[in-house]
Amino acid sequence: MDKSAIGRSGQPVTMIVELGKVREFARAIKDDNPIYFDNDFAKREAGGIMAPPTFMMTLGFWDDGRGRPKLEMDLRRVLHGEQEFEYLKPIHVGDVLTAVSKVENVFEKAGSRGGTMSFGITATEYRNQQGELVAISRSTVIETGQVVKKD
């Protein structure tokens, strides 16, 4: 990976937090918390039905590829290293979020079986319809320097 990619951004992607998709997502992750299903309960507890914690991963269904900043990698040697979410404000059904992804860092570490490993960290900021920063997700991809050798 090329360190010159640091700071590179993708195009903004807009996603709508839809009730049906929140319910489908909650069922898919087997979370029956009424905060995702019961409007009265959710309104009383959190101001409305909320998106489950990892719901931001559905951004991929809204992004046609232009939202992802380009990181040159050999996809035959790439691993998904880590994913983290930082929530700054509640995200409710009906919110319209705009996400902007940016390459935050590129660095290398010595490896053993796969040679030198290149790490790329991408941060995606989500802003609601008021322009408030509501969440940040960070994704780490790892590219091995060579095909991993078997022991």
Side-chain angles (χ1 to χ4, degrees), residues 30-95:
K30 301 190 183 300
D31 190 337
D32 60 358
N33 188 327
I35 208 151
Y36 309 129
F37 300 99
D38 183 330
N39 197 39
D40 293 335
F41 176 84
K43 194 169 205 155
R44 193 173 54 250
E45 295 295 320
I49 292 182
M50 296 184 66
T54 55
F55 186 78
M56 311 316 279
M57 292 302 292
T58 64
L59 176 68
F61 294 108
W62 296 86
D63 184 2
D64 64 5
R66 289 179 281 182
R68 286 171 257 157
K70 196 125 180 119
L71 260 177
E72 298 295 332
M73 299 175 278
D74 182 341
L75 295 178
R76 296 172 296 178
R77 296 180 281 119
V78 170
L79 309 167
H80 181 210
E82 183 177 19
Q83 186 75 42
E84 67 179 54
F85 300 91
E86 180 179 0
Y87 290 91
L88 306 168
K89 291 189 176 271
I91 298 170
H92 294 104
V93 164
D95 282 347

Side-chain angles (χ1 to χ4, degrees), residues 17-38:
V17 181
E18 301 169 278
L19 176 61
K21 295 302 179 188
V22 166
R23 289 180 172 177
E24 287 174 7
F25 191 90
R27 285 190 178 106
I29 61 172
K30 301 190 183 300
D31 190 337
D32 60 358
N33 188 327
I35 208 151
Y36 309 129
F37 300 99
D38 183 330

Side-chain angles (χ1 to χ4, degrees), residues 96-99 125-135:
V96 178
L97 305 178
T98 300
E125 292 186 351
Y126 296 84
R127 294 184 184 276
N128 65 16
Q129 60 276 16
Q130 282 88 40
E132 300 169 313
L133 182 61
V134 295

